């Protein structure tokens, strides 16, 4: 399958700071990406998605940036809160195929 | 968001027995569902694609006779771990995506929604 990897396995931030989680992907044919949040013992939770015809998409407190030239994704979380502490995965697939391949994950620790 | 229900959430079984895990999409139809496996502190590994009305397709290295998948309806897929061994102990997670034309949950594509996972322990 496709290879999707992350630069940082763990990230610690202070409550209220902004967080940036990065992800690299290797399949240039991938054109749809999702960021998921996974809390301990639970399934992944959808956060935000982006298609390859965009380079930025914003949600509530979160922004996803896509750089297709270098095959890189990032997730920005504004004003990080303790409830944001979790493992974050990026996942990729090809348009109209719902099969997702996941990166290795980044654990976000938010310090109060 | 959409709801995908997985049952059971936890199961302990003896070596050599079989265990069935159910995945249901509660408020949408899904012609395709996916099964993942996750080891502690690792990412989700795609095991197979469950296709309603046809055979499942398995990722390379996944034994189809070991992990039986049945997609009996547009809202239900089951994964049966046969002749379970302790090394099959893992967290199994399913996902489902709305069928084309049903995506209405805010995602840009047919986004995948995940069940809560099943913790399988084989003793």
């Amino acid at each position: 399958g496709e290879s999707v990897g992350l630069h940082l396995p763990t990230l610690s931030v202070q409550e209220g700071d902004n967080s940036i989680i990065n992800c690299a992907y290797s399949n240039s044919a991938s054109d749809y990406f999702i960021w998921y949040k996974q809390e301990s013992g639970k399934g992944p939770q959808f956060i935000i998605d982006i298609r390859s015809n965009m380079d930025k998409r914003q949600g509530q407190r979160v922004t996803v940036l896509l750089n297709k030239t270098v095959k890189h994704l990032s997730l920005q979380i504004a004003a990080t809160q303790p409830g944001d502490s979790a493992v974050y995965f990026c996942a990729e697939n090809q348009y109209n195929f719902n099969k997702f391949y996941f990166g290795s994950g980044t654990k976000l620790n938010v310090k109060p | 968001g959409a709801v995908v229900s997985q049952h059971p959430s936890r199961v302990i079984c003896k070596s050599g027995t079989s265990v069935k895990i159910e995945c249901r999409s509660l408020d949408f139809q899904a012609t395709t569902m996916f099964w993942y496996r996750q080891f502690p502190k690792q990412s989700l590994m795609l095991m197979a694609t469950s296709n309603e009305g046809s055979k499942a397709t398995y990722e390379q290295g996944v034994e189809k006779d070991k992990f039986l998948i049945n997609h009996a309806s547009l809202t239900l897929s089951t994964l049966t771990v046969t002749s379970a061994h302790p090394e099959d102990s893992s967290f199994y997670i399913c996902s489902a995506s709305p069928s084309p034309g049903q995506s209405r949950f805010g995602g840009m594509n047919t986004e995948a929604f995940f069940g809560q996972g099943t913790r399988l322990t084989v003793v």
Side-chain angles (χ1 to χ4, degrees):
Chain A
E2 292 86 349
S3 170
V4 181
L6 294 175
H7 296 304
L8 297 172
T10 59
L11 177 65
S12 293
V13 300
Q14 204 69 38
E15 181 179 358
D17 288 351
N18 297 332
S19 302
I20 300 177
I21 301 172
N22 297 302
C23 175
Y25 64 95
S26 60
N27 188 347
S28 57
S30 294
D31 53 14
Y32 179 55
F33 306 87
I34 299 181
W35 278 100
Y36 285 96
K37 171 185 180 182
Q38 186 179 29
E39 297 174 336
S40 181
K42 298 183 179 180
Q45 177 186 359
F46 175 95
I47 300 175
I48 192 169
D49 58 355
I50 190 168
R51 282 224 302 256
S52 59
N53 60 353
M54 304 175 72
D55 53 19
K56 180 179 180 179
R57 190 163 187 241
Q58 287 184 293
Q60 189 176 13
R61 279 203 307 119
V62 294
T63 301
V64 55
L65 300 177
L66 174 63
N67 185 330
K68 289 190 299 176
T69 302
V70 295
K71 290 184 281 189
H72 183 268
L73 274 168
S74 69
L75 175 69
Q76 300 178 1
I77 304 174
T80 313
Q81 302 169 0
D84 295 327
S85 294
V87 178
Y88 290 81
F89 295 98
C90 67
E92 60 168 329
N93 81 343
Q94 297 177 21
Y95 190 61
N96 284 332
F97 293 93
N98 302 321
K99 181 189 297 188
F100 287 87
Y101 292 94
F102 281 74
S104 56
T106 292
K107 183 175 183 179
L108 177 64
N109 293 319
V110 182
K111 296 176 285 186
Chain B
V3 178
V4 175
S5 175
Q6 204 171 323
H7 177 80
S9 58
R10 290 179 178 270
V11 59
I12 300 174
C13 70
K14 292 183 178 180
S15 291
T17 61
S18 295
V19 174
K20 181 184 286 188
I21 303 170
E22 293 186 346
C23 179
R24 294 180 185 273
S25 56
L26 298 186
D27 52 0
F28 64 93
Q29 294 181 332
T31 53
T32 308
M33 294 184 177
F34 300 89
W35 288 96
Y36 294 81
R37 183 175 182 175
Q38 186 177 32
F39 291 105
K41 299 184 179 180
Q42 294 189 24
S43 186
L44 284 74
M45 181 193 77
L46 179 65
M47 298 174 65
T49 303
S50 174
N51 304 298
E52 189 269 336
S54 64
K55 290 182 179 180
T57 54
Y58 292 80
E59 295 296 300
Q60 190 173 6
V62 178
E63 300 176 59
K64 62 180 181 180
D65 295 330
K66 174 75 172 174
F67 300 100
L68 300 179
I69 291 173
N70 182 268
H71 197 140
S73 73
L74 287 172
T75 59
L76 173 64
S77 174
T78 60
L79 168 69
T80 301
V81 182
T82 63
S83 188
H85 291 160
E87 55 265 33
D88 297 325
S89 299
S90 189
F91 194 52
Y92 292 88
I93 307 173
C94 70
S95 75
S97 297
S99 299
Q102 291 192 57
S103 180
R104 62 185 189 278
F105 301 111
M108 298 180 66
N109 201 354
T110 45
E111 61 273 26
F113 297 96
F114 286 79
Q116 289 299 298
T118 297
R119 174 73 61 191
L120 171 63
T121 304
V122 184
V123 297

